[in-house]
Amino acid sequence: MASAIVIAASACTDKQPENPFFAEWKTPFGIPPFDQIKTEHYMPAYLKGFEEQMNEVTAIIENQDEPTFENTIRALEYSGALLRKVSSTFGPINSANTSEEMQALSVELSPLQSKHSDDISLNETLFMKIKTVYENQDKFSLTAEEKRVLELRYKNFIRNGAALSPDDKDKLRKINEELSMLTLKFGQNLLAETNSFRLVIETEDDLAGLPEGLKMQAAGAAKNAGMEGKWVFTLQAPSIWPFLQYSEKRELREKIFKAYENRGNNGNENDNNKIVADIARLRVERASLLGYKSHADFVLERNMAGNPETVISFLEQIWNAALPVAKAEAMEQSALIRREGGNFKLEPWDWWYYTEKIKKEKYDLDDELTRPYFAIDNVRDGMFYVAGRLYDLEFAERTDVPSYHPDARVYEVTRNGQHIGILFIDNFPRASKRGGAWCTAFRGQHRDSKGKMVTPLVSIVCNFTPPSGDKPSLLTAEEAGTFFHEFGHALHQLLSNSTYPSISGTSVARDFVELPSQIMEHWVLEPEVLNVYAKHYQTGEVLPAEIIEKLDRAGKFNTGFITVEYVAASLLDMEFHAITTPENINVQEFEKKAMDKYGLISEIIPRYRSTYFNHIFSGGYSAGYYSYIWCEQLDADAFEAFKETGDIFNRDVAAAFEREILSKGGSAEPRDLYINFRGKQPGIEALLRNRGLMN
């Protein structure tokens, strides 16, 4: 596999080197010593981690003293230090820089992790101790944070089956083990499918319409694949989407698009249809076992939305506003096809191409006009500038500390000279990295068992167009928004101020976690911010005011499509997880029936079709993909708090946002946190206005 994990081999010696996980890390800031860690170190560290935590849990169980917060809940919170150390290294690396060996290891580990988790959460004696503390909490002088930790621990044990009969616990164990294997396999299949397709172009005629930068990128990909003199396009985001935007060759657009939309649906060894059906069936079996109508009811109980009915009603409001707009956009594109003499029906692989033409026609604006002003390092500096203005943060690159890949750059984050945390930024695609963009952590913020602050090690991982020759990575305005988005997640981790690991940083409800990330997107195209970072990579010229104005006018362009493809995926997620009885689903028929139910037009497909819907079948967003747009009503309303003051960098509002949202993690109910910040509940109106779906 290309770009295997960057773990340097130790020099051969007669003595076996010590497993790095079994020693204290003397690295700066306690960063994992990536150059010392080998794949073979993980399994022994996991096994020892399982053993150590079970010994700690056994000590809690066998303690003859009356159960208290200290000897039960706090002891449980701080158990498993070694296991956290190894899993918080293995997980991020396996997503961002995997290898065949690591993927095989993850398959081996999956049932062991599931069993270990169940051995703790299904232990009746441990649960009774937690229940005793929960029912007698008024006897203890607990802080608000401790009360929240206790409540969540108690409820999570019930949700994980602690109150089930022995027979039902055995059934739950089997379901959990199967699900852990299936979700892992889904992600591995998707990575293999994404990496297996290459559109190889051999003649310049077939490059018609493509920008020079994209052609250079494709030529570089061909050279790396041993096909010098040709051009290679892939299903990675920096390759496929510009190709669909600009290629004049309709048959080639169709070819690459169909390869993209059929990932996991090709009847081969990487087919995900049966895996999706099995996951959906097992999830409803588990929900029923635990006393819930559906998996969606189970998931949403702990989210802001509360239940599937609220989510579907919310999504339908947006769908009903957006679908007529999308239909009008499709009619406009069809009219353009006819004007140009085309004699064919608009299809999904045409949408990006004709949208780009109409945008150019209406606004004299296209991505290639703005890309030179969004060099990736400038965008990064823009993010740092915003964080500095809002939160007094400073970012200094460190080249003297460990990193897991040459592409991953490392920054120390400080405030008023005080160390806050470490930020990794890893921006470019490779075969060893899954697609998309995300934020993760090698270590979350918390205080250790002695009360000492443990600072976070946070990582932003993206898949942007890599540099080519002497040209730096140049982003679209949308990609700049993605960069700011993930940076918002990082700030949520960096500015966390919790005591207990289980509720720090982004450990919040799924439909609240996107608020800190999405609010950051509001600063991307603010003129005051653009004037700081949007500079031409060759001349240093600031993005001209007339282009800024065009970006603003085009801000609500194509919003029908953008909203409909997203909400379609959210509704598909809810349809899969609102099932109330186990059944053997034909995935393709189920998906079509669900989309027909809501009237999705044929020119648009869901943002994610079932067999490559990684968010919900492998990524932790099951019955939760709606969260992004749910949080948009929060972030739109929250940004208005800044706008209402006339200052997008208002320090009082920023301080309140940090105090009530960013620093609190999951220490209170999300709705309470938001009301504490804003003084009111959010409404859907700001969201619809921002998307141009309401006057």
Side-chain angles (χ1 to χ4, degrees):
M1 177 175 288
S3 188
I5 185 169
V6 287
I7 307 263
S10 300
C12 293
T13 62
D14 293 334
K15 184 179 179 182
Q16 184 70 21
E18 183 181 2
N19 190 317
F21 289 108
F22 299 154
E24 182 184 352
W25 290 341
K26 302 292 189 180
T27 53
F29 314 109
I31 296 172
F34 299 111
D35 60 331
Q36 298 173 28
I37 299 171
K38 296 181 180 180
T39 304
E40 58 262 32
H41 290 142
Y42 286 112
M43 180 59 87
Y46 264 108
L47 294 176
K48 189 171 176 61
F50 293 147
E51 180 185 2
E52 285 189 3
Q53 187 170 35
M54 282 311 304
N55 288 339
E56 292 163 338
V57 170
T58 299
I60 297 171
I61 292 168
E62 294 179 350
N63 188 336
Q64 297 302 305
D65 294 340
E66 184 72 17
T68 65
F69 184 89
E70 286 291 318
N71 67 23
T72 305
I73 306 303
R74 192 170 190 275
L76 196 54
E77 276 285 315
Y78 287 110
S79 69
L82 174 59
L83 188 57
R84 273 196 303 274
K85 188 177 180 181
V86 61
S87 62
S88 62
T89 304
F90 180 81
I93 295 294
N94 194 35
S95 291
N97 201 23
T98 193
S99 65
E100 291 179 1
E101 294 76 19
M102 289 194 78
Q103 291 189 57
L105 178 59
S106 65
V107 172
E108 196 176 348
L109 278 168
S110 183
L112 300 179
Q113 291 170 304
S114 178
K115 179 182 183 302
H116 177 72
S117 176
D118 284 344
D119 284 346
I120 295 173
S121 62
L122 296 177
N123 186 286
E124 186 172 354
T125 306
L126 179 60
F127 173 60
M128 291 310 297
K129 283 178 170 279
I130 293 170
K131 187 170 185 278
T132 298
V133 178
Y134 181 76
E135 291 177 344
N136 294 280
Q137 59 184 283
D138 290 343
K139 292 169 53 177
F140 312 111
S141 299
L142 302 182
T143 66
E145 185 177 354
E146 287 169 341
K147 288 180 181 179
R148 178 69 170 170
V149 169
L150 172 58
E151 179 188 20
L152 292 175
R153 279 282 177 187
Y154 174 69
K155 289 182 177 178
N156 283 341
F157 264 71
I158 292 176
R159 288 171 57 81
N160 288 326
L164 295 177
S165 69
D167 284 348
D168 283 346
K169 284 181 179 178
D170 287 341
K171 291 178 185 176
L172 184 63
R173 283 178 180 273
K174 288 187 65 176
I175 290 172
N176 286 343
E177 183 177 335
E178 283 188 72
L179 281 171
S180 72
M181 295 296 293
L182 289 167
T183 55
L184 177 66
K185 182 61 175 169
F186 181 98
Q188 291 183 344
N189 285 352
L190 177 55
L191 180 63
E193 286 278 273
T194 302
N195 287 338
S196 67
F197 176 83
R198 291 188 300 201
L199 175 63
V200 181
I201 290 180
E202 301 185 3
T203 65
E204 290 209 31
D205 286 349
D206 283 339
L207 300 173
L210 299 182
E212 285 303 315
L214 184 60
K215 289 190 282 190
M216 288 173 59
Q217 176 187 326
K223 184 177 179 180
N224 292 338
M227 293 185 283
E228 193 160 4
K230 299 178 183 179
W231 297 266
V232 166
F233 296 88
T234 71
L235 301 182
Q236 297 284 1
S239 184
I240 182 174
W241 304 121
F243 188 89
L244 289 170
Q245 274 180 289
Y246 296 109
S247 174
E248 295 176 7
K249 299 295 181 177
R250 187 168 188 254
E251 68 281 6
L252 295 180
R253 296 201 308 269
E254 180 180 4
K255 184 176 182 180
I256 197 169
F257 181 86
K258 285 187 171 178
Y260 178 85
E261 73 156 339
N262 281 308
R263 288 176 299 163
N265 185 33
N266 291 305
N268 57 20
E269 67 275 12
N270 297 319
D271 195 279
N272 273 336
N273 279 286
K274 186 175 187 307
I275 290 176
V276 168
D278 287 346
I279 289 173
R281 174 180 53 79
L282 287 167
R283 282 176 174 169
V284 72
E285 285 182 15
R286 181 176 62 184
S288 178
L289 198 61
L290 292 169
Y292 296 86
K293 283 195 305 182
S294 69
H295 179 71
D297 285 279
F298 170 71
V299 168
L300 293 168
E301 177 187 56
R302 59 184 179 183
N303 280 9
M304 284 185 74
N307 56 67
E309 294 76 21
T310 298
V311 173
I312 292 170
S313 173
F314 170 74
L315 292 173
E316 285 179 338
Q317 285 185 71
I318 300 168
W319 181 264
N320 292 335
L323 189 60
V325 178
K327 288 178 177 178
E329 290 166 355
M331 289 176 62
E332 188 174 18
Q333 292 186 45
S334 297
L336 176 57
I337 290 169
R338 290 193 298 273
R339 283 203 313 272
E340 292 184 344
N343 186 26
F344 55 86
K345 178 185 175 297
L346 177 72
E347 298 286 357
W349 52 87
D350 297 315
W351 194 286
W352 285 266
Y353 180 70
Y354 287 100
T355 291
E356 193 65 24
K357 281 194 165 194
I358 292 169
K359 184 167 75 170
K360 177 75 173 171
E361 185 180 276
K362 281 189 170 182
Y363 305 104
D364 191 25
L365 182 68
D366 63 39
D367 288 340
E368 295 311 303
L369 178 66
T370 57
R371 269 187 196 274
Y373 296 92
F374 290 105
I376 199 163
D377 286 351
N378 289 350
V379 178
R380 175 208 61 206
D381 291 345
M383 298 186 326
F384 291 172
Y385 170 81
V386 171
R389 289 286 303 274
L390 292 172
Y391 307 115
D392 274 337
L393 297 180
E394 295 182 344
F395 300 80
E397 185 164 11
R398 297 290 298 260
T399 57
D400 59 335
V401 301
S403 184
Y404 62 89
H405 190 278
D407 284 351
R409 297 165 72 173
V410 189
Y411 301 86
E412 182 184 4
V413 187
T414 59
R415 177 154 59 186
N416 300 323
Q418 180 182 356
H419 177 78
I420 298 294
I422 291 293
L423 176 65
F424 294 80
I425 299 182
D426 178 5
N427 276 329
F428 306 123
R430 48 184 176 265
S432 61
K433 181 194 286 190
R434 68 175 172 88
W438 66 95
C439 178
T440 186
F442 292 103
R443 183 179 70 214
Q445 177 276 329
H446 62 280
R447 286 170 176 78
D448 66 17
S449 58
K450 297 178 181 178
K452 180 184 176 184
M453 174 68 81
V454 177
T455 55
L457 308 173
V458 187
S459 183
I460 294 172
V461 189
C462 300
N463 281 277
F464 297 133
T465 303
S468 178
D470 59 356
K471 180 183 285 190
S473 171
L474 302 175
L475 306 185
T476 65
E478 183 179 357
E479 287 171 330
T482 298
F483 205 177
F484 270 68
H485 176 106
E486 300 306 333
F487 184 60
H489 282 309
L491 292 176
H492 200 181
Q493 298 262 30
L494 289 163
L495 294 175
S496 174
N497 188 20
S498 297
T499 297
Y500 295 100
S502 66
I503 59 167
S504 74
T506 54
S507 299
V508 300
R510 183 66 75 185
D511 56 5
F512 190 67
V513 75
E514 299 300 334
L515 167 58
S517 57
Q518 290 179 187
I519 194 172
M520 281 300 296
E521 296 180 49
H522 287 270
W523 278 273
V524 178
L525 298 181
E526 284 288 327
E528 185 176 351
V529 180
L530 286 169
N531 286 333
V532 170
Y533 81 88
K535 299 175 182 177
H536 197 285
Y537 78 97
Q538 290 173 313
T539 66
E541 174 198 18
V542 174
L543 186 68
E546 58 268 25
I547 296 183
I548 294 177
E549 185 182 342
K550 289 176 183 178
L551 283 168
D552 182 59
R553 286 193 292 114
K556 296 178 177 62
F557 176 70
N558 200 38
T559 194
F561 168 83
I562 293 167
T563 306
V564 163
E565 63 144 14
Y566 167 81
V567 176
S570 301
L571 289 166
L572 180 60
D573 171 27
M574 294 305 298
E575 290 289 323
F576 269 115
H577 293 117
I579 297 168
T580 55
T581 55
E583 56 184 285
N584 291 316
I585 294 170
N586 180 308
V587 170
Q588 298 304 309
E589 289 179 3
F590 183 91
E591 180 181 306
K592 183 179 186 308
K593 184 178 179 182
M595 295 299 92
D596 287 348
K597 172 181 173 181
Y598 291 101
L600 179 64
I601 58 178
S602 63
E603 295 87 350
I604 300 176
I605 67 168
R607 180 173 296 180
Y608 298 104
R609 295 193 61 204
S610 307
T611 54
Y612 57 90
F613 206 159
N614 198 65
H615 283 77
I616 68 170
F617 292 119
S618 188
Y621 272 77
S622 61
Y625 191 63
Y626 76 92
S627 300
Y628 293 94
I629 204 160
W630 178 276
C631 283
E632 193 174 325
Q633 66 179 327
L634 304 181
D635 72 68
D637 182 68
F639 190 65
E640 286 193 352
F642 286 92
K643 299 286 277 188
E644 286 164 5
T645 70
D647 178 8
I648 61 171
F649 293 111
N650 184 283
R651 297 302 290 271
D652 291 337
V653 178
F657 192 75
E658 179 181 353
R659 183 178 65 251
E660 304 298 345
I661 306 291
L662 298 178
S663 70
K664 290 294 179 66
S667 62
E669 288 289 345
R671 190 172 299 279
D672 294 339
L673 292 177
Y674 190 81
I675 292 173
N676 289 344
F677 162 66
R678 192 70 167 105
K680 67 181 183 70
Q681 292 190 27
I684 199 173
E685 294 79 12
L687 181 161
L688 294 175
R689 281 196 302 271
N690 278 6
R691 286 183 172 246
L693 302 174
M694 181 179 117
N695 294 328

